[in-house]
Amino acid sequence: MRPLVLAVIPARGGSKGVPGKNLAPVGGAPLVARAVRACRGAARVTDVVVSTDDAAIAAAARAAGAEPVERPAELSGDAATSEAAVLHALDAFEAARGRAADVVLLVQCTSPFLTAGDVDAVAARVLDEGADTALTAAPSHGFLWQGGADADAVGVNHDKAFRPRRQDRQPEYLETGAAYAMDAAGFRAHRHRFFGRTALAVTDPARTLEIDDPHDLARARALAPLLDPATTPTLADVDAVVLDFDGTQTDDRVLIDADGHEFVAVHRGDGLGAAALRRSGLRVLILSTEQNPVVAARARKLGVPVLHGVDRKDLALKRWCDEQGVDPSRVLYAGNDANDLGCFALAGWPVAVADAHEAVRRAARAVT
């Protein structure tokens, strides 16, 4: 029988350093969804659960493909340990499944650039190589020091009077905080992530980042376009395409004549694109807050249904998805401005146009 490898992702709703941290988008996906994605992509992981006290996090976890486990209040405070959350989730999972896990993983949302390969590597140390526990670690060549402004600084991992070359030093590794693997029975007995023989799963130091404050989150968003693999949805990923109008199908300018009539510029090529979408069988919608009848006129020209003059685009999108029987996680939503961010949080494929507002580009899963 295949070993049961359970990945547990702790994700509390409260965060003092970065409010709402686990739902903060990086590269177009909430941090909790990125962690779920890495675990679901790992060949050795059989099941993924998210331990949370927050309904919105639970919904995001479920949309990403994980099973939420409701965390009790006594395990949700600042003093609660990750181990306690993992033990509770392990108990809940095994009670529901009627089968004990062989290996349990602790995977942190705060490491946004964790890969499925990293998760597989840390699990393999326990499954295949006989380790009791394992962790992701990155090679480090830094010289560490202790001491303050009023103290004589002392080398921690070196003698300050001797400066060996990198190639002459013993390898050292930095714990990334991203993923840990434990033999499940041993974890139950020791109630700690480190016991017995501990092995390292060496990862790429360029991907090592823990989000603890807003500056870390800003760095993660800046790095995402460089570190994330290019993601282009296919027909297998999307059931509907929803398009903003101003700035997405126009150049975001308005021309006004002396009588106050407004004019916008569109591209003839959009007609071919809309026709191709219709032929593909995808549902298509134009969604706009703009009340100008030019939006409806353009939609008629393209042969696309339209909702315009709406105050809350995210609520309108949710209602349309419910009416159409479309899962929002399978919607590609294209937008350009701040009023699109609510739809970005709802849609599985938020896409920003190239000259979109900076906040929209940061929240997008792809940029045209």
Side-chain angles (χ1 to χ4, degrees):
M1 183 182 295
R2 182 185 179 189
L4 196 160
V5 178
L6 174 67
V8 179
I9 303 170
R12 290 191 304 122
S15 173
K16 293 181 178 178
V18 182
K21 176 171 63 179
N22 290 317
L23 288 174
V26 170
L31 287 174
V32 65
R34 292 178 68 97
V36 171
R37 192 186 305 161
C39 292
R40 283 179 53 83
R44 308 306 297 269
V45 172
T46 57
D47 298 271
V48 184
V49 300
V50 172
S51 169
T52 187
D53 58 343
D54 185 278
I57 292 175
R62 188 177 288 109
E67 181 65 31
V69 172
E70 185 175 354
R71 193 189 304 194
E74 61 269 22
L75 298 181
S76 300
D78 292 337
T81 66
S82 296
E83 279 89 347
V86 174
L87 282 166
H88 172 265
L90 184 61
D91 286 341
F93 175 84
E94 292 183 348
R97 293 297 178 90
R99 180 186 169 192
D102 298 291
V103 174
V104 62
L105 308 183
L106 163 59
V107 177
Q108 304 277 28
C109 295
T110 48
S111 295
F113 302 116
L114 176 72
T115 68
D118 295 333
V119 177
D120 267 331
V122 79
R125 297 295 184 270
V126 178
L127 283 169
D128 303 335
E129 300 173 20
D132 298 294
T133 59
L135 68 149
T136 50
S140 173
H141 302 286
F143 289 108
L144 301 179
W145 293 80
Q146 281 184 340
D150 301 324
D152 182 24
V154 177
V156 175
N157 61 346
H158 67 287
D159 179 350
K160 66 180 182 179
F162 176 61
R163 303 289 290 186
R165 300 176 304 168
R166 174 190 292 189
Q167 58 267 38
D168 295 330
R169 296 174 60 192
Q170 283 289 104
E172 293 179 329
Y173 298 92
L174 174 70
E175 182 177 336
T176 70
Y180 305 83
M182 296 83 72
D183 172 78
F187 180 63
R188 282 193 177 284
H190 293 274
R191 308 180 73 82
H192 193 272
R193 72 187 75 178
F194 297 122
F195 56 88
R197 186 169 80 81
T198 299
L200 302 180
V202 180
T203 66
D204 181 358
R207 307 182 70 87
T208 300
L209 173 63
E210 287 189 273
I211 296 178
D212 295 318
D213 61 41
H215 301 293
D216 298 329
L217 182 58
R219 280 199 298 275
R221 287 169 169 167
L223 286 169
L226 301 175
L227 297 178
D228 284 350
T231 52
T232 302
T234 68
L235 277 175
D237 303 310
V238 174
D239 293 329
V241 174
V242 180
L243 305 167
D244 176 36
F245 186 71
D246 289 323
T248 302
Q249 298 180 63
T250 77
D251 61 4
D252 213 19
R253 297 185 303 160
V254 177
L255 304 179
I256 305 175
D257 69 11
D259 297 321
H261 299 125
E262 296 184 357
F263 303 88
V264 296
V266 296
H267 197 287
R268 289 186 180 276
D270 290 349
L272 293 173
L277 289 173
R278 291 198 305 272
R279 286 196 303 271
S280 73
L282 291 171
R283 293 179 177 85
V284 187
L285 175 72
I286 293 173
L287 179 61
S288 175
T289 58
E290 178 57 61
Q291 297 185 12
N292 193 312
V294 69
V295 182
R298 181 58 177 164
R300 285 194 299 272
K301 178 73 172 179
L302 296 176
V304 173
V306 62
L307 294 173
H308 73 107
V310 299
D311 292 327
R312 286 281 303 276
K313 294 167 77 171
D314 55 340
L315 296 182
L317 176 59
K318 179 65 168 64
R319 185 163 53 249
W320 181 81
C321 286
D322 290 343
E323 292 170 353
Q324 298 293 318
V326 173
D327 182 349
S329 69
R330 294 182 56 81
V331 170
L332 185 154
Y333 181 91
N336 78 308
D337 213 341
N339 64 4
D340 294 309
L341 290 173
C343 293
F344 270 34
L346 183 65
W349 287 93
V351 176
V353 296
D355 60 351
H357 188 282
E358 181 183 354
V360 177
R361 288 171 59 90
R362 286 201 308 263
R365 194 168 176 181
V367 179
T368 66

